[in-house]
Amino acid sequence: MEVTVGTSRIELVEGDITRQDTDAIVNAANTTLLGGGGVDGAIHRAGGPSILEECRKIGGCPTGEARITNAGRLKAKKVIHAVGPVYRDGRHGEPDVLASAYRSSLDLARTAGLKSISFPSISTGAYRYPIDEAAGIALRAARDYMESRPEIELVRFVLFGQQAYQAYVRALQQVMRGED
Ligand code: ADP
């Protein structure tokens, strides 16, 4: 599925984040930036050791923020490591922190002169954020950012599996209808 936001577009695809050819891909990292499972493990495996080397030098990243590194052997030019919240009950600031992780990533991409970026569904794996809620937050954050920053031409959400993809399709339909 694809929608336009001003002169830019948001795309939803089912697939693997490590295989994307956008200028940047985003990692669902943790605060240590030293690797983990899920998306993080897949990115470091596919990209090779130069990414972790740069992460070590950076020395960590607070929740709700992001950091940028090289992309090793990946097709993307850069990896942006974003740290989403661990979900508790949704009443501990999780929505704001999740939106902030997306905004920080978009800001890093834009200031690095990158025009296209692929996101995984941050926080919906090991961090247990309910995907229907997380999808709305992610898509609103992207749409709002793109409305004021046309330099970002493409934001692609790469969903792992049919269920995740369908959750994002439903959320994007709602967000584009303005039901938010
Ligand atoms: P977090 O710790 O932020 O929850 P995870 O990496 O555990 O991050 O999971 C985030 C989401 O990414 C989950 O929905 C998971 O199914 C999905 N995912 C796992 N591997 C990949 C991959 N290679 N490409 C895209 N999405 C993936």
Side-chain angles (χ1 to χ4, degrees):
M1 182 178 179
E2 184 177 317
V3 299
T4 57
V5 178
T7 53
S8 304
R9 65 186 204 275
I10 296 178
E11 260 179 33
L12 307 183
V13 302
E14 191 186 332
D16 181 345
I17 191 87
T18 65
R19 304 177 72 86
Q20 306 305 312
D21 58 1
T22 43
D23 294 339
I25 64 166
V26 175
N27 182 15
N30 60 45
T31 55
T32 68
L33 298 185
L34 294 180
V39 171
D40 201 318
I43 286 177
H44 287 293
R45 266 195 309 279
S50 67
I51 302 174
L52 195 56
E53 239 165 70
E54 202 174 344
C55 283
R56 273 203 201 93
K57 287 185 193 141
I58 293 169
C61 175
T63 306
E65 295 187 20
R67 298 290 183 267
I68 190 165
T69 68
N70 76 83
R73 297 190 293 258
L74 297 169
K75 280 188 209 154
K77 295 179 189 152
K78 293 284 182 184
V79 175
I80 293 173
H81 306 263
V83 184
V86 176
Y87 187 84
R88 289 166 69 186
D89 55 6
R91 295 177 193 169
H92 288 81
E94 296 96 325
D96 285 345
V97 176
L98 184 59
S100 165
Y102 282 98
R103 278 195 302 271
S104 301
S105 302
L106 290 162
D107 255 338
L108 277 176
R110 183 180 56 81
T111 53
L114 306 175
K115 298 189 176 312
S116 58
I117 182 168
S118 293
F119 283 100
S121 180
I122 297 172
S123 284
T124 61
Y127 285 180
R128 299 186 308 276
Y129 213 118
I131 196 155
D132 294 309
E133 287 172 49
I137 292 163
L139 292 164
R140 275 195 296 279
R143 179 203 59 191
D144 292 352
Y145 192 91
M146 295 163 87
E147 279 174 350
S148 62
R149 298 292 194 181
E151 304 96 302
I152 299 285
E153 294 170 1
L154 168 64
V155 176
R156 179 183 293 158
F157 288 87
V158 182
L159 293 322
F160 209 53
Q162 184 69 23
Q163 282 197 343
Y165 177 74
Q166 289 304 337
Y168 271 72
V169 167
R170 285 192 300 273
L172 185 55
Q173 285 164 345
Q174 279 177 12
V175 166
M176 297 314 288
R177 281 200 298 263
E179 295 169 9
D180 52 330

